[in-house]
């Protein structure tokens, strides 16, 4: 009785309908159900995409994309952006000396002043970025070298950071806080801007350091262990990252809401960049309440406290001043892309329309299903 | 299985000898010096694969033997051992899921087997032990035990029948569960053993177990009180097989000869070899390509990494120092682990989930076949049966259809049409005509308005009544013939004469019944057997009794059968009936000439003809024949050959008395089906054991041969024309046909070959391959090939030859009988018809359908759709993983080739499992790019997908290029956007995870919308899963990024997705890139012609096609075969 019912297979093929162990003589009445699903007759929408239905789509895409593209392009063009490389590779550049005489252990900070001028006034809020080139923040070893639970204020992780932080996990037998390569290499140049009045006097431009990090990072993802008070006590027993000059609780002693792990400069740095050439938001220059531009045209000086070495890996450092639009910073790519795609669609639409009209009828008769 | 292997290992001696000796009842016999009870295996049936203990290791081993699973295991292990960019969970989880599901499924199946095994093994049977009856569990039966079996019980092991409760020393069994034949078969006790089982002292010597159900050779030595031992031959008629059921017999006793796994049933339970579909082969080929891509990607990246690192300051800048361990590591070892890491990073290009999805698609998809109500046949109350789900798509790829004739093209319900006695034709045109009118009934068709003498008539009818193996079944009212539910009492002890109308006949072949019924119509009624006496009621209502002396069984080689009977008056007569070709040479020539015309005419009209001959045996002749037969039956080896020789010797010098014609009606819509298959580009080959004329007319009736078809004939007749050696002639004819079939392309050719010529073709030693290729080339140019007079094995040979010919075309065999099993197993797809000739074909088939007409929908409808579905599934899967992984690869150029993944681990894992798997699964189950009705009515559409059209290299290349194009677009589109990472109006910047998330979002949308564009059949399910998975992606991303996950080491995606959506630029770039990636697709859609009007409403073609639909179940065509002139001779 039994063997007749096995369709034994050496391999594990499926045998859906064959499983059944009744005798051969059992009468099976298995009339299939007459349901739409089982009979593969579910009501269905059967779109027929023909030239007639698709051609208008080309025109519609063209008509929508070209204006958007023009809008984007104009917006991007209206954004004012100024980029200053202050690495100091050339002998002539003001920071040359600083870049040459660099040492981690030097106690006296090296400063240099880079003069520049604005041809156009910058209006509305101006955003100040620092940019690094050839800096592989997206290197795998680098990206994973952090401990997010330590940064989230977890006390256990504070004392014993994740293994991922190696070799920046402990120093002098003490756990490093914040541990890891990312934190260790925190960008520590200080940039200041001065406006040179036509009469020669320097006015410091107020740089706001709030609002440069993602709100959720600042308020949820990054937290000081045990609240923002008494950071000195909390971080007792931990060591500062080896390349840091000061401890994490000394990042901004003036403002307890910007100190320790929730220091915004630190948070910004901890969001690893996608590409080896990147920029990070450094400061915001808020627009003035009156009608005067935020940064009037004229002469400026960028005062750099030169701490961050990039020459060893042939990196570059930049300072970028930019205004913003609704679409972000200056980037002509989107506008050009939209205009191109829109025009291509429109053009294709016209070509196809001609083809369709010219050969459409003939195509129907010579319809060989392929 | 394991047991058998073990047995072999431990070298049980009994395996090595050719025969085994069994002591009946374990009693020592005087002849043997010492009684050493031989060891045989116990009667336990083990069909299960696993036990509780070995399930886990064995199942895991079995599963990891599959190359794909093994690959994923390796990837997983690499991830565990080597420090790799993605966590082991990303590949471990899907693998674990796949393995677990398969294990559960196999475990369940094995549990079912265990249950069934136990049911059989623990079944209580009665065993005679020292004269006492003891109840034992079936598994404890030992070889040599005498077992009692009562009616309707199945035999617990293979038994030699010793004693039966029936008076005529026979018993009836049905082997329905073994070979599906539900008729009752008669088995005989061994002579002289029926008395005194308790004291029986005998040994049985028989061959070692072998799987052939119909072969058994043995000898029994019976020892009686120091007499010379009596020797009795044993044959299959003495052997009761395990699994068969006792019928119509109260109880029997038998001695166990084969037990447990050595029974014929168990030996026959060898799995069929698994068939693999072409699609699977394509998948493997594509897989290889992708594996190459994978390896080369990893190589490129590894090289780049070390080139990049060799630049000063890049390998270990001050901000990114290595750990001490990394510094100490060997450079070459590092390179190797880097290579492995890259492999792991890119391994998603070959997804585990594809295997799961393909398997699921096949598994679920096959339900649609068994659910299809069009396949439901009200007559047998059954629908289609799917025995394997691996071949669904193969149904759409069939190039050659091999069909059996009897029972497949024709209904195998026989009706006696006419007979011809001594050259005079008798045609019973109206079945209600009085039987006595036999002498006067005649159709005008008859050439001569004369009748044969009454003498000849009666002889002929007696022959019909006697020369058969039909049993009479006492039906209790219901008239419909063969069935195993009826347990009629056979032994008629009274002289009561039953009304003929209530008589049911059981026979192994329906034509025998037709003949007996035909004889009944003409006044001679077969009443049944009564202990070796055949009783026939003649026209005068007298009962004549004939003693049945010998039955010379029918076999397909001899193509005839005979009986030797002794009449009341002592005349010994031999009646023989058989195919004309086997009878004509054995009778006098002048008789042949009188009858041949009728036979041939009947044959061309599509009737099955049999010739009947007889001969009077003198007592010396009989004695000689009797001795010969007995001797041959006793032979232990070569019994078949010896019997054959005796048969041939006896069946000579007969005189032909007449011929019969039996009509075999065509199956419903046989012609329409065949026509549709041919229009679909399939070549139909008819392989039949029937003779050429009959088969040819069936082919005409099925419209396989058309009026204009030029027939190329290659038969024994053709070859003998020249008078030269057959081989030479064969060569000549082949060359001629070859030239002819290749020169004129317009002409339709049909090819006819018969079994004898075919074996000549295959076996003529040196040029065999040359002939074969010639033959094949001719066949390839013919629309239809008819192979007649084929033995079952030859059918398989033909299929095998075509299967292995150039281009390895996909073959399909369809048949209904046991003789078709070999070709069903041989072909790529075997289809069984749930016909009348038992269930063996169905059991061995991949698909079983109730009627031939269902083949059309199975191939043109289901097959086409499944092929399109799975082909699209496979291509889509490779494509979507290519454009998934390509950006990841490109990212390596921007991150110092450091194996930094572009996407988050959750996205890597979920991409194939959740985000993109459901739409393609739904598509691959529901898609009907052309709806079923159109596919059916327009058979030529089948040619669109022929030759694996959607999985060849050019479509693969197209999909691959599309994947590359889109992958490049995704990556570089976002790359240009990120040249200024300040993408929000508040000036804040995006990091690398935002980069990956934007790419991933574009990817998921593009890939899903691409599928949406390919979907031509949008049911609510498609809508649900397509829009649902996009919604799920959005939801998941919010959810995944919305919580600080305590179990994660890094909160990489925290609010990344939400922040991305806050950026207008991100939105714009996503829309742009999705549109741009789909643009070539849209463009192609426009440029490509609309494939076919596939809406259900407009089908003008169907209407015209329907017009000519007419039942082909009409009597076989009455066309004049004047187009015989078309035949080239």
């Amino acid at each position: 009785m039994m063997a007749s019912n096995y369709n034994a297979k050496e391999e594990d093929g499926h045998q859906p309908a064959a499983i059944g162990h009744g005798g051969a003589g059992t009468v099976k009445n298995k009339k299939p159900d007459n349901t739409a699903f089982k009979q593969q007759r579910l009501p269905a929408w059967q779109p027929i995409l023909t030239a007639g239905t698709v051609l208008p789509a080309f025109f519609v895409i063209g008509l929508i994309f070209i204006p958007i593209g023009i809008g984007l392009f104009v917006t991007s063009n209206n954004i004012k952006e100024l980029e200053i490389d202050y690495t100091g590779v050339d002998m002539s550049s003001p920071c040359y000396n600083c870049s040459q005489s660099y040492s981690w252990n030097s106690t006296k900070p090296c400063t240099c002043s880079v003069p520049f001028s604005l041809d156009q006034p910058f209006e509305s809020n101006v955003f100040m970025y620092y940019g690094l080139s050839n800096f592989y923040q997206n290197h795998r070893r680098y990206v994973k070298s952090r401990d997010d639970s330590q940064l989230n204020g977890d006390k256990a992780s504070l004392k014993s950071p994740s293994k991922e932080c190696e070799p920046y996990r402990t120093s002098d037998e003490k756990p490093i806080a914040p541990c890891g390569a990312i934190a260790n290499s925190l960008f520590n140049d200080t940039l200041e801007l001065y406006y040179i009045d036509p009469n020669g006097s320097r006015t410091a431009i107020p740089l706001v350091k709030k609002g440069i990090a993602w709100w959720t990072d600042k308020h949820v993802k990054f937290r000081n262990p045990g609240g923002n008070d008494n950071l000195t006590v909390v971080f007792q027993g931990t060591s500062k990252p080896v390349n840091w000059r000061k401890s994490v609780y000394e990042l901004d002693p003036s403002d307890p809401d910007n100190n320790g792990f929730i220091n915004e400069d630190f948070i910004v740095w901890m969001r690893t960049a996608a590409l080896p050439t990147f920029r990070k938001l450094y400061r915001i220059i808020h627009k003035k309440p009156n009608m005067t531009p935020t940064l009037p045209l004229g002469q400026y000086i960028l005062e750099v406290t030169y701490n961050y070495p990039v020459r060893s890996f042939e990196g570059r450092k930049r300072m970028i001043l930019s205004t913003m639009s609704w679409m972000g910073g200056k980037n002509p790519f989107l506008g050009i892309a939209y205009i191109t795609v829109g025009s291509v669609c429109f053009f294709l639409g016209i070509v196809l329309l001609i083809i369709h009209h010219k050969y459409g009828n003939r195509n129907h008769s010579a319809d060989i299903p392929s | 299985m394991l047991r058998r292997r073990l047995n072999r290992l431990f070298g049980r001696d009994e395996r090595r000898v050719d025969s085994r000796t069994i002591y009946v009842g374990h009693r020592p016999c005087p002849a043997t010096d010492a009684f050493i009870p031989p060891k045989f295996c116990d009667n336990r049936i083990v069909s299960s694969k696993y036990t509780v203990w070995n399930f886990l290791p064995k199942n895991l081993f079995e599963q990891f033997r599959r190359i794909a699973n093994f690959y994923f295991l390796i990837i997983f292990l690499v991830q565990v051992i080597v420090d790799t960019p993605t966590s082991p969970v990303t590949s471990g989880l899907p693998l674990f899921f796949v393995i677990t599901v398969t294990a559960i499924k196999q475990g369940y199946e094995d549990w079912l087997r265990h249950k069934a095994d136990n049911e059989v093994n623990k079944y209580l049977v009665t065993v005679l032990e020292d004269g006492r009856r003891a109840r034992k569990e079936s598994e404890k039966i030992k070889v040599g035990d005498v077992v009692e079996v009562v009616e309707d019980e199945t035999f617990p092991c293979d038994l030699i029948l010793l004693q039966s409760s029936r008076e005529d020393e026979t018993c009836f069994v049905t082997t329905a569960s073994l070979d599906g034949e539900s008729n009752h078969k008669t088995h005989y006790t061994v002579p002289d053993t029926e008395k005194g089982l308790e004291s029986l002292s005998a040994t049985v010597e028989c061959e070692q177990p072998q799987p052939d159900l119909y072969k058994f050779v043995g000898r029994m030595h019976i020892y009686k009180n120091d007499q010379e031992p009596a020797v009795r031959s044993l044959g299959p008629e003495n052997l009761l097989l395990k699994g068969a059921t006792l019928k119509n017999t109260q109880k029997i006793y038998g001695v166990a000869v084969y037990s447990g796994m050595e029974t014929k049933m168990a030996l026959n339970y060898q799995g069929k070899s698994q068939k693999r579909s072409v699609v699977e082969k394509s998948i493997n080929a594509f897989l290889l390509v992708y594996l190459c891509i994978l390896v080369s990607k990893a190589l490129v990246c590894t090289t780049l990494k070390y080139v990049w690192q060799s630049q000063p300051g890049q390998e270990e800048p001050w901000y990114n120092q290595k750990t001490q361990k990394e510094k100490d590591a060997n450079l070459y070892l590092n390179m190797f682990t880097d290579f492995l890491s890259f492999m792991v990073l890119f391994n998603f290009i070959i997804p585990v989930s594809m295997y799961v999805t393909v398997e699921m698609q096949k598994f679920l998809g096959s339900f649609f076949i068994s659910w299809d109500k069009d396949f439901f046949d009200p007559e047998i109350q059954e629908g289609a049966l799917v025995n394997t789900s691996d071949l669904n798509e193969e149904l759409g790829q069939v190039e050659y259809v091999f069909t059996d004739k009897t029972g497949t093209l024709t209904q195998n319900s026989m009706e006696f049409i006419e007979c011809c006695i001594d050259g005079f034709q008798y045609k019973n045109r109206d079945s209600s005509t009085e039987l006595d009118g036999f002498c006067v009934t005649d159709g005008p068709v008859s050439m001569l308005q004369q009748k044969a003498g009454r003498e000849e008539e009666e002889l002929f009818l007696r022959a019909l009544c006697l020369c058969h193996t039909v049993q009479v079944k006492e039906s209790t009212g219901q008239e419909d013939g063969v069935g195993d539910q009826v347990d009629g009492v056979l032994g008629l002890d009274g002289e009561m004469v039953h009304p003929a109308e209530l008589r049911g006949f059981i026979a192994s072949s329906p034509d025998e019944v037709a003949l007996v019924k035909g004889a009944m119509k003409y006044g001679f009624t077969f009443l049944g057997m009564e202990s070796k006496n055949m009783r026939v009621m003649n026209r005068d209502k007298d009962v004549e009794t004939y003693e049945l002396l010998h039955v010379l069984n029918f076999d397909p080689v001899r193509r005839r059968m005979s009986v030797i009977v002794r009449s009341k008056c002592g005349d010994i007569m031999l009646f023989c009936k058989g195919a004309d070709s086997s009878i004509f040479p054995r009778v006098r020539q002048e008789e042949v000439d009188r009858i041949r015309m009728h036979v041939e005419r009947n044959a061309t009209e599509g009737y099955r003809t049999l010739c009947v001959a007889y001969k009077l045996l003198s007592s010396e002749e009989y004695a000689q024949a009797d001795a010969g037969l007995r001797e041959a039956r006793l032979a232990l080896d070569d019994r078949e050959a010896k019997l054959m020789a005796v048969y041939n010797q006896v069946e000579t010098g007969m005189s032909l008395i007449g011929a019969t014609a039996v009509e075999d009606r065509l199956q419903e819509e046989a012609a329409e089906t065949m026509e549709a298959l041919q229009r679909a580009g399939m070549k139909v080959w008819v392989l039949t054991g029937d003779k050429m004329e009959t088969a040819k007319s069936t082919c005409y009736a099925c419209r396989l041969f058309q009026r204009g078809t030029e027939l190329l004939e290659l038969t024994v007749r053709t070859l003998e024309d020249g008078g030269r050696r057959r081989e030479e002639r064969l060569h000549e004819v082949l060359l001629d046909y070859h030239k002819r079939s290749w020169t004129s392309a317009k002409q339709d050719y049909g090819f006819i070959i018969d079994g004898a010529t075919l074996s000549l073709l295959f076996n003529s030693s040196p040029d065999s391959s040359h002939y074969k290729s010639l033959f094949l080339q001719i066949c390839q140019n013919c629309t239809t090939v008819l192979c007649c007079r084929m033995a079952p094995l030859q059918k398989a040979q033909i299929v095998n030859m075509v299967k292995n010919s150039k281009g390895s075309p996909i073959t399909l065999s369809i048949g209904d009988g046991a003789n078709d099993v070999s070709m069903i197993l041989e072909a790529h797809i075997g289809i069984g018809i749930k016909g009348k000739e038992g269930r063996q074909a169905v059991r061995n088939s991949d698909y079983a359908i109730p009627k031939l007409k269902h083949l059309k929908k199975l191939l043109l409808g289901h097959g086409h759709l499944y092929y399109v579905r799975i082909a699209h599934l496979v291509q889509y899967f490779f494509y979507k993983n290519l454009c998934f992984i390509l950006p990841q690869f490109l990212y390596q150029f921007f991150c110092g080739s450091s194996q930094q993944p572009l996407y988050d681990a959750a996205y890597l894992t979920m991409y194939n499992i959740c985000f993109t798997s459901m739409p393609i699964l739904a598509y691959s189950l529901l898609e009907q790019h052309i709806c079923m009705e159109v596919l059916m009515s327009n058979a030529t559409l089948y040619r669109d997908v022929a030759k694996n059209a959607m999985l060849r290299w050019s479509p693969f290349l197209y999909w691959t290029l599309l994947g590359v194009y889109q992958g490049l677009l995704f990556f570089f589109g976002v790359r240009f956007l990120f040249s200024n990472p300040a993408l929000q109006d508040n000036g804040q910047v995006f990091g690398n995870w935002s980069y990956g998330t934007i790419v991933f979002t574009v990817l998921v949308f593009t890939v899903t919308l691409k599928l949406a564009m390919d979907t031509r059949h949008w049911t609510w399910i498609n809508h649900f899963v397509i829009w649902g998975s996009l919604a799920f992606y959005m939801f998941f991303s919010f959810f995944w990024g919305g919580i600080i996950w305590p179990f994660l080491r890094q909160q990489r995606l925290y609010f990344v997705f939400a922040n991305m959506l806050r950026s207008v630029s991100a939105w714009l770039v996503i829309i742009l890139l999705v549109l741009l990636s789909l643009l070539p697709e849209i463009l192609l859609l426009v440029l490509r012609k609309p494939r076919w009007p596939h809406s259900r409403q407009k089908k003008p073609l169907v209407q015209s096609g329907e017009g000519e639909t007419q039942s082909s179940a009409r009597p076989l065509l009455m066309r004049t075969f004047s187009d015989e002139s078309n035949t080239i001779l």
Side-chain angles (χ1 to χ4, degrees), chain A residues 136-144, chain B residues 83-86 301-302 304-306 308-309 314-315 320 338 341-342 345-346 888-889 891-901:
Chain A
Y136 282 85
Q137 249 205 330
N138 57 6
H139 194 281
R140 183 173 143 239
R141 199 165 61 224
Y142 187 84
V143 170
K144 69 174 184 173
Chain B
D83 167 44
T84 55
T86 54
C301 283
T302 317
L304 274 178
K305 176 171 183 170
Y306 284 88
W308 180 77
Q309 282 185 356
Q314 296 297 24
E315 186 182 4
N320 193 10
D338 276 330
S341 295
F342 279 117
L345 186 65
F346 303 139
Q888 178 123 291
F889 168 69
Y891 193 55
Q892 299 309 310
F893 295 91
F894 294 87
C895 70
S897 306
S898 59
Q899 300 135 22
Q900 171 61 27

Side-chain angles (χ1 to χ4, degrees), chain B residues 418 630 642 812 1040 1057 1128:
Chain B
E418 63 170 58
R630 278 179 200 282
K642 284 178 185 161
L812 175 143
W1040 185 244
F1057 191 72
I1128 304 153

Side-chain angles (χ1 to χ4, degrees), chain B residues 732-756:
Chain B
E732 202 173 283
V733 174
L734 275 176
L735 279 178
D736 176 41
Y737 287 171
H738 186 249
K739 206 169 73 201
R740 207 190 293 232
S741 64
W742 280 86
T743 43
S744 56
K746 287 271 162 61
Q747 178 72 41
D748 262 352
Y749 286 101
F751 193 75
I752 303 175
I753 190 164
D754 64 359

